[in-house]
Amino acid sequence: MLESSDITALLAYVNDVLQSIIVIFGVAVVLYNIPRLPRGAVIRSFSALISFVVIVYFAELLVSRVVTPSSAEFFLRVGWIGVAMVPAALFHLSDALLATTGKISRRRQRLVIAGYVSALVFVILGVFTDLVVGPPLPDMPTPRLTEGPYLLIFTIWFWGVTVSSVYNVWRARGRCLTRTTRNRMSITLLAILAAPLGVFPYTLLMHNPDQLVPIWLWIVLILGNLVVSLLFAVLTSQLVYFGAMSPDRVVRVRLYKFMARVPLAATIVLLVFVLVSRAPSVMGLPKDVALSVAVVATVMIVEWIIHAYKKPLERVFQLNDDPDVRRIQTLSERLLTTSDLQQFLESVLAAMCEALRTPSAFVAALTPDGAELLASVGPIGPAAHLPPPADLHRLDRIEAGNNGHDVLSDELGEFYAWGDYWIQPLHSTINGKATLGILGIRARPDGLNFTPDEAAALERLTVQASSALEDRLLQQDVFAAVEGLLPELASLQERRRVATFGGLPALTAHAENIDEEILQDPEFNNMVRDALTHYLGWAEADRKPFVATSGGSTRAGRT
């Protein structure tokens, strides 16, 4: 039967594991937000709030593992930095949320600055003096700071700022006009309490410093950490949309993928590490060997699950459940990239050389700038310098020979002599008059004499080469249309973003000013690239220069 001390130790260990998970996810959220910090005050203040919470939980984890009282006091003082700064960051976040709805106040901005200044005062008093919190006593069973003479003042300030922050979010909720924004702000109003509830030093309220933390308090702390972790997850899922130009669906997918690959994988590895380290020896192996095998296997299995079941999981969690998205994903998987086209044409040319018993062949596409060599098999020599499209009709047409079994060239199309090659125009399979490219075959010594089998194989292979060139042109038209639409789509997404909480001022703002702001955004090129990658799955080799023009400004980039 477990004794009271054993139960207390077990609950303390469970609490440490929960705190570790909160630290892992908190650090992951901050890392996720670092590239998005320039997007607005909401992201910056939220990242600051999470950072201070992480400091508190990480310091408590280290305190539970220290072996000397001086080290315990040092980490407790470091954790106090986060405790004192959380209310200021929370008020900053509430002000940013209220300002997002159009309620901008210079008085509130001055209060934000005053909040950070007063927080720094409490940091100095708590770290370098004993006026707010005192050092842990040497005979304390659980190291913790003791009550200082000004702790009551700090407590009043802590919860006073917290209540003011909640009031600001409540006001922001009242200013939301649409159902989506009101629901989002309502959830934020509840989840924003996670930070103050999670970091406030409740153990300071225990007046007997020699007393062990009772079992009921450990249970309360564990339940509190579970609630805090849940509220932080909800808060992150709601605030991630602020400052994002991409649709909510895209933002949600990116967040969940990041969380699955970074903090969730790290958490699973941590749990496996804890279980294996506390389990008895497995098959007589040393503990370090068992740990190494378990951790490596866990990392590999988790990454394999994410990779193999990514799309089913997206459908289960309704991350990409829109029919339009599914059609676009299907299109991206079936696009013919430049590399795919070259591989296919090379296979066609290799089969053609084998069927016609010729050493080399090539396919070129006709472009406004001239003929462009796409694929070749064998040494092509001077074929690298192809004749201009306008000069094809000037070449000598080859007539079929007469060896008793030849096929007339009219049945296979026109062939022209060009050096050591037979040149044949490749026409559209839809519009037979449109010339798409050139097929070049190394001339045979016996002339243009094809057997029926050779003629049939040549005809089928020629049709496949023409179809590939035709698909290439169709895709280029799609890409050109998308390139032309992307600046306007980006502008529309920006208007949607600012109008979500901005209301009338955002919707009546001059469109050119919004477009200019978008084009001047240093992340604009990356957003365009991400949009093309997400919607069309372009290969790296297919990226072409584009020029986006809006409001009289032009910016060149890469897609």
Side-chain angles (χ1 to χ4, degrees):
M1 184 175 179
L2 291 177
E3 297 181 357
S4 176
S5 59
D6 296 331
I7 296 176
T8 301
L10 178 61
L11 293 177
Y13 198 82
V14 172
N15 186 65
D16 287 347
V17 172
L18 287 177
Q19 289 180 336
S20 302
I21 294 174
I22 294 176
V23 170
I24 291 173
F25 274 85
V27 173
V29 171
V30 174
L31 293 176
Y32 182 80
N33 285 333
I34 285 178
R36 304 171 62 244
L37 291 180
R39 299 290 179 85
V42 173
I43 299 300
R44 291 193 292 269
S45 57
F46 178 58
S47 300
L49 178 64
I50 295 294
S51 299
F52 294 135
V53 172
V54 168
I55 290 175
V56 176
Y57 278 89
F58 187 62
E60 291 184 0
L61 278 174
L62 297 180
V63 168
S64 64
R65 294 292 179 267
V66 297
V67 294
T68 60
S70 59
S71 299
E73 181 180 1
F74 171 78
F75 288 117
L76 287 171
R77 301 283 185 180
V78 171
W80 177 258
I81 297 175
V83 173
M85 295 299 296
V86 160
L90 187 66
F91 189 82
H92 186 192
L93 175 59
S94 67
D95 171 70
L97 290 173
L98 188 53
T100 303
T101 64
K103 189 66 173 178
I104 301 175
S105 171
R106 293 187 179 275
R107 174 178 170 273
R108 224 174 38 247
Q109 293 175 355
R110 289 193 291 268
L111 288 177
V112 170
I113 298 175
Y116 278 112
V117 171
S118 57
L120 287 174
V121 171
F122 282 113
V123 167
I124 295 173
L125 294 177
V127 173
F128 300 104
T129 72
D130 298 333
L131 295 177
V132 181
V133 289
L137 299 180
D139 54 350
M140 271 188 172
T142 302
R144 60 180 184 270
L145 296 174
T146 55
E147 181 180 356
Y150 293 156
L151 178 62
L152 180 61
I153 297 177
F154 171 78
T155 303
I156 296 174
W157 173 84
F158 185 98
W159 292 111
V161 176
T162 298
V163 171
S164 301
S165 304
V166 174
Y167 176 69
N168 285 339
V169 180
W170 179 79
R171 291 175 60 193
R173 177 186 177 276
R175 293 179 56 83
C176 296
L177 302 179
T178 65
R179 183 180 61 182
T180 301
T181 56
R182 182 177 289 270
N183 291 339
R184 186 168 294 169
M185 200 64 74
S186 300
I187 297 174
T188 303
L189 180 62
L190 176 63
I192 204 172
L193 293 172
L197 291 176
V199 304
F200 185 77
Y202 301 100
T203 54
L204 290 175
L205 303 179
M206 298 174 58
H207 298 289
N208 185 3
D210 298 331
Q211 180 183 357
L212 281 170
V213 178
I215 294 178
W216 66 266
L217 184 55
W218 280 120
I219 296 176
V220 171
L221 291 176
I222 292 173
L223 294 177
N225 286 332
L226 287 174
V227 173
V228 167
S229 59
L230 178 61
L231 291 179
F232 269 128
V234 173
L235 187 62
T236 302
S237 65
Q238 299 303 314
L239 297 185
V240 72
Y241 301 104
F242 287 85
M245 289 185 60
S246 302
D248 291 355
R249 168 184 51 79
V250 178
V251 175
R252 183 169 60 251
V253 171
R254 290 175 180 172
L255 175 64
Y256 279 79
K257 287 182 178 179
F258 177 83
M259 289 299 172
R261 290 190 177 277
V262 181
L264 181 59
T267 300
I268 295 175
V269 171
L270 172 65
L271 295 177
V272 171
F273 180 87
V274 170
L275 293 175
V276 174
S277 62
R278 287 185 164 263
S281 178
V282 180
M283 299 178 63
L285 293 175
K287 191 61 64 69
D288 55 347
V289 175
L291 279 174
S292 301
V293 173
V295 169
V296 173
T298 302
V299 172
M300 295 180 64
I301 292 174
V302 169
E303 291 297 326
W304 172 77
I305 292 175
I306 295 174
H307 174 76
Y309 298 98
K310 178 178 64 177
K311 290 186 178 180
L313 290 175
E314 288 180 0
R315 288 192 293 267
V316 169
F317 292 103
Q318 296 183 349
L319 299 182
N320 269 335
D321 200 39
D322 191 274
D324 294 336
V325 176
R326 289 199 297 268
R327 285 195 293 268
I328 293 172
Q329 288 178 337
T330 302
L331 174 63
S332 68
E333 293 172 355
R334 298 181 181 178
L335 282 176
L336 189 68
T337 65
T338 300
S339 176
D340 297 335
L341 177 67
Q342 290 177 345
Q343 292 178 5
F344 176 73
L345 289 177
E346 287 176 358
S347 300
V348 171
L349 293 175
M352 192 176 295
C353 291
E354 181 180 355
L356 302 182
R357 293 172 287 111
T358 183
S360 60
F362 65 87
V363 171
L366 297 184
T367 67
D369 298 328
E372 177 187 355
L373 185 65
L374 294 181
S376 63
V377 172
I380 61 173
H385 306 284
L386 300 172
D391 294 345
L392 288 178
H393 68 280
R394 300 178 184 176
L395 300 177
D396 295 332
R397 180 175 176 179
I398 305 174
E399 299 295 339
N402 185 13
N403 59 3
H405 59 266
D406 59 301
V407 179
L408 294 178
S409 60
D410 288 340
E411 299 179 12
L412 295 173
E414 300 173 339
F415 281 90
Y416 298 92
W418 182 63
D420 297 333
Y421 284 85
W422 297 332
I423 299 294
Q424 181 187 36
L426 297 176
H427 299 289
S428 171
T429 58
I430 300 176
N431 180 10
K433 296 182 180 180
T435 302
L436 305 177
I438 301 172
L439 169 65
I441 304 173
R442 185 74 177 224
R444 299 192 308 191
D446 57 348
L448 192 62
N449 299 314
F450 297 137
T451 65
D453 291 339
E454 292 174 343
L458 177 60
E459 182 180 5
R460 288 193 296 268
L461 295 173
T462 302
V463 170
Q464 294 188 47
S466 300
S467 299
L469 294 180
E470 197 163 34
D471 291 342
R472 175 177 177 267
L473 289 178
L474 290 175
Q475 288 186 182
Q476 285 181 342
D477 292 339
V478 173
F479 294 162
V482 171
E483 285 184 358
L485 285 175
L486 277 176
E488 182 61 29
L489 291 176
S491 175
L492 179 61
Q493 291 293 351
E494 173 65 10
R495 293 170 191 165
R496 177 198 60 81
R497 180 185 68 82
V498 298
T500 300
F501 294 97
L504 180 63
L507 292 175
T508 55
H510 201 280
E512 291 186 0
N513 294 335
I514 297 178
D515 294 343
E516 182 66 22
E517 180 182 352
I518 297 169
L519 293 174
Q520 296 302 326
D521 190 338
E523 292 294 320
F524 176 74
N525 291 334
N526 293 332
M527 289 185 290
V528 173
R529 181 196 62 201
D530 292 343
L532 290 174
T533 302
H534 181 79
Y535 285 108
L536 294 176
W538 281 13
E540 193 73 25
D542 292 334
R543 297 183 177 178
K544 300 178 180 180
F546 75 95
V547 177
T549 304
S550 178
S553 299
T554 303
R555 167 174 284 194
R558 298 287 304 179
T559 61

